[in-house]
């Protein structure tokens, strides 16, 4: 039986999705681990937006079953005024049933983000995404400074989780890719260890 790491994200322009794919590579570098990529539909400021059940492209939309059945979680969002994007928050606000049953208690989790400006609030966004995970009783994991890329990066990367500066269409740097993959591998190894206890 494989250990499933859910990589749940919202991405408006594709950068956060690219990060999610690198986290998936890290997960799948660990024998016995499987990455499950899921996204959430956009929301409307006027009324609830109706979306097709299956998106036109990219990852499938997440369900509560995806969260319930995962062994670990990587949660990602672009930064919006130092906070996670509304579509991801909207989805998380609908997870009360999982909270009542304790379905996520004791599962490892990590967070990742991208911003369009240098001081756009990467760390506050990462911290904001941690709050609902703490309420769910998840075990939060960041990136330790034993990851050389965290010490060497001149762009994104924090001990709270991978990050990326996407200004002027810049792609992920090698350091940012390494840090995304490191988080994925770390989540997978931890979930495997917890399942064997």
């Amino acid at each position: 039986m494989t250990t499933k790491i859910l990589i749940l994200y919202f991405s408006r322009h594709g950068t956060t999705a690219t990060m999610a794919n690198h986290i998936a590579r890290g997960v799948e570098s660990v024998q016995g681990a499987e990455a499950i990529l899921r996204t959430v539909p956009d929301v409307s400021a006027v009324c609830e937006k109706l979306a097709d059940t299956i998106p036109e492209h990219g990852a499938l939309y997440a369900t509560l079953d995806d969260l319930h059945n995962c062994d670990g979680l990587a949660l990602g969002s672009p930064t919006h005024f130092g906070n996670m994007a509304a579509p991801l928050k909207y989805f998380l606000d609908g997870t009360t049933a999982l909270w009542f049953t304790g379905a996520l208690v004791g599962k490892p989790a990590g967070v990742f983000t991208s911003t369009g400006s240098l001081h756009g609030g990467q760390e506050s966004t990462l911290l904001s995404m941690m709050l609902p995970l703490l309420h769910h009783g998840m075990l939060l994991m960041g990136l330790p400074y034993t990851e050389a890329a965290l010490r060497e990066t001149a762009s994104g990367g924090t001990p709270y989780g991978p990050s990326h500066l996407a200004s002027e269409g810049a792609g992920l740097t090698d350091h940012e890719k390494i840090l995304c993959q490191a988080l994925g591998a770390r989540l997978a190894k931890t979930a495997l260890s917890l399942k064997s206890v």
Side-chain angles (χ1 to χ4, degrees), residues 69-150:
N69 296 328
C70 77
D71 299 300
L73 172 68
L75 187 66
S77 173
T79 292
H80 286 265
F81 300 106
N83 206 331
M84 74 180 95
L88 190 60
K89 176 73 165 63
Y90 183 81
F91 178 82
L92 292 173
D93 284 348
T95 61
T96 304
L98 295 176
W99 177 79
F100 275 123
T101 63
L104 299 177
V105 172
K107 295 180 181 183
V111 293
F112 60 102
T113 191
S114 61
T115 57
S117 61
L118 180 59
H119 301 291
Q122 290 183 356
E123 291 181 346
S124 62
T125 299
L126 294 170
L127 292 168
S128 79
M129 287 191 290
M130 290 178 184
L131 297 177
L133 305 183
L134 286 166
H135 279 265
H136 275 291
M138 299 193 86
L139 307 174
L140 295 181
M141 305 189 71
L143 292 168
Y145 277 99
T146 51
E147 292 292 339
L150 191 58

Side-chain angles (χ1 to χ4, degrees), residues 3 17 23 36-37 50 66 72 78 105 107 120 125 136 138 144 152 175:
T3 294
I23 291 169
I36 309 293
L37 286 160
L50 299 176
D66 290 321
V105 172
K107 295 180 181 183
T125 299
H136 275 291
M138 299 193 86
E152 296 166 0
H175 287 127

